[in-house]
Amino acid sequence: MQATQHDWYAVLGVQSDASQETITRKYREQLLKLHPDVRPAEEQVQANDDVALLNLAYEVLGHEGRRREYDRERQQAATPPPSPGPPPPPPPPSVVVEPTGADYGAVLVGCLPADLQVVIHLSDGSPISACELVTSEGQFWRAVLLPGTATTLMVLLRCKPLSKGAAPGVHADELRLRVEQTDVVVPVTITALKARRSSDQRAQRQHPVLTLLTWVLCLLGGLLLVRAHGWPTEQSAARYCVRPTDRGKTLSYFRVEGNASESTAPAVWKLRAGNTGRDQFVYWWTPAVGYWERANVQPGLVRDGWTYGRYEYVEVRVNDRAGWQYLDAVLGERQSPLDSATERNQRERFLTDWIGNLDVERCSPSSQA
């Protein structure tokens, strides 16, 4: 039923709460007033339209069922639709932790594994305005909040030596942070191992004859090698030679091929001239890494409240503008200029092998740099 085209109550001239008897009486009064028979000739067309509209009004209001339906539709048309209101606010960005857990792996009691890094950012890439360490130290680790970018933070986890009484197996702890009013929990685990006497040593202790036979075989093998190659000499044991380069600013070390005074290019590593380990730091450069690095020579170096053993504090100079930077901070950058595996390999070779060859003899002048 179309209830909004005309107000049938107004057509009949009654109120919306009028009784059925009132509606019937008003209809008859209006019909006698508007009928064409009582109106002049020039109003006949209008009279027919008025009577037709009057009949439609009475057809709706004069029937109780149709009147109830009309009243309902009339009420609905008069009620404005509810306002949709403002859209709901978007959900806050979530905190992303990479990796989701920090595991030092299997470590012998008394040894220290490499530091671990945890990178934190928001899911929508927005800047981080607040971050704090709720727990800065755990059972076997210490946390340091390193400077990052506007959208990224980095937490460095340094392992503490496990006590000799630490039980073998997995030890679990939690690093807790609060980032943008959100509590973040990062599991930290380490597997403690204790050195045991090898099965070979137990077997040798149980079988002395086998031990004696092993020594005899080793002695015979050594004699055969000496007979084939001769006894090693100081000259044959030398592996490197050194030459000043870069107008005397650096010392370049070359691998020796045959004669101790002859070298082959390129240089294996470089050292700052005048730096042989007596300074606070030892400086080195390798072509595989491409940047100068340095490590503390004497144990007991203190940086940011931490005490480092010999060669434990390492810095790298990626460019002159940034200066010397903590190595772990550079490796933790999203687009780090260093390859961590290559850098670690070259650093370990220098600090365990090459640093013991700093006082080798000079290369011959005929050698190529």
Side-chain angles (χ1 to χ4, degrees):
M1 178 181 294
Q2 299 294 327
T4 58
Q5 293 181 353
H6 297 282
D7 185 352
W8 299 132
Y9 289 104
V11 171
L12 290 178
V14 297
Q15 299 294 326
S16 60
D17 58 350
S19 64
Q20 291 299 124
E21 291 78 4
T22 302
I23 290 175
T24 301
R25 179 172 54 82
K26 291 295 293 185
Y27 165 69
R28 290 174 180 174
E29 292 177 356
Q30 292 282 51
L31 184 60
L32 292 174
K33 180 180 178 181
L34 299 175
H35 199 278
D37 292 344
V38 298
R39 299 173 70 176
E42 64 272 13
E43 296 181 4
Q44 290 299 304
V45 176
Q46 182 63 42
N48 288 327
D49 292 340
D50 292 343
V51 170
L53 188 63
L54 186 66
N55 289 332
L56 288 175
Y58 185 69
E59 182 181 349
V60 173
L61 300 181
H63 189 278
E64 292 185 0
R66 288 192 287 269
R67 181 183 178 183
R68 284 194 300 269
E69 183 179 355
Y70 170 71
D71 288 342
R72 180 180 57 81
E73 294 180 357
R74 186 167 177 263
Q75 180 65 29
Q76 290 179 352
T79 304
S83 174
S94 58
V95 179
V96 180
V97 180
E98 298 175 344
T100 56
D103 182 18
Y104 287 102
V107 179
L108 285 173
V109 172
C111 296
L112 282 176
D115 297 341
L116 299 179
Q117 295 174 353
V118 175
V119 179
I120 302 170
H121 61 90
L122 299 181
S123 57
D124 61 354
S126 58
I128 299 176
S129 60
C131 179
E132 63 173 318
L133 294 174
V134 179
T135 55
S136 60
E137 185 171 352
Q139 303 173 12
F140 49 85
W141 55 269
R142 292 177 182 173
V144 177
L145 191 60
L146 299 178
T149 64
T151 59
T152 304
L153 294 177
M154 186 187 310
V155 178
L156 180 68
L157 291 174
R158 306 207 67 189
C159 188
K160 299 189 294 187
L162 292 172
S163 62
K164 294 184 178 180
V170 178
H171 295 253
D173 203 351
E174 291 180 342
L175 165 66
R176 294 183 176 271
L177 308 99
R178 184 169 292 110
V179 182
E180 301 289 342
Q181 304 301 319
T182 300
D183 292 329
V184 179
V185 178
V186 181
V188 185
T189 55
I190 189 172
T191 303
L193 300 178
K194 286 190 175 181
R196 297 181 178 179
R197 191 182 300 274
S198 67
S199 57
D200 293 340
Q201 290 176 324
R202 292 196 300 268
Q204 292 175 3
R205 190 171 63 250
Q206 296 171 359
H207 303 282
V209 176
L210 180 60
T211 303
L212 179 61
L213 180 59
T214 301
W215 279 103
V216 171
L217 291 176
C218 291
L219 180 60
L220 290 176
L223 291 176
L224 290 175
L225 289 174
V226 170
R227 183 176 180 182
H229 302 286
W231 293 99
T233 63
E234 182 178 355
Q235 180 177 358
S236 63
R239 296 184 299 158
Y240 306 102
C241 63
V242 61
R243 177 189 302 112
T245 54
D246 301 331
R247 297 181 179 180
K249 296 180 181 179
T250 60
L251 299 176
S252 296
Y253 290 78
F254 300 87
R255 192 179 308 278
V256 170
E257 297 292 344
N259 193 316
S261 62
E262 296 179 358
S263 63
T264 59
V268 180
W269 81 90
K270 293 182 180 181
L271 195 73
R272 281 193 174 182
N275 181 279
T276 59
R278 293 187 297 270
D279 300 335
Q280 185 180 12
F281 290 92
V282 59
Y283 302 75
W284 72 92
W285 177 95
T286 60
V289 176
Y291 301 106
W292 280 96
E293 295 183 79
R294 70 180 185 179
N296 62 307
V297 176
Q298 300 298 330
L301 177 69
V302 178
R303 286 289 189 276
D304 298 328
W306 295 86
T307 302
Y308 296 85
R310 188 180 190 188
Y311 302 146
E312 286 186 352
Y313 184 80
V314 182
E315 293 181 330
V316 61
R317 192 180 184 91
V318 176
N319 56 66
D320 294 336
R321 181 178 180 181
W324 291 102
Q325 296 175 274
Y326 186 45
L327 175 63
D328 289 340
V330 176
L331 292 176
E333 296 176 357
R334 284 194 169 184
Q335 296 181 345
S336 175
L338 301 178
D339 178 76
S340 59
T342 302
E343 187 283 329
R344 182 171 184 174
N345 173 269
Q346 295 292 290
R347 171 163 43 90
E348 290 181 350
R349 293 194 65 183
F350 177 80
L351 295 176
T352 58
D353 178 18
W354 297 338
I355 200 170
N357 293 272
L358 301 184
D359 296 328
V360 295
E361 63 183 87
R362 281 178 171 265
C363 301
S364 62
S366 60
S367 300
Q368 298 295 323

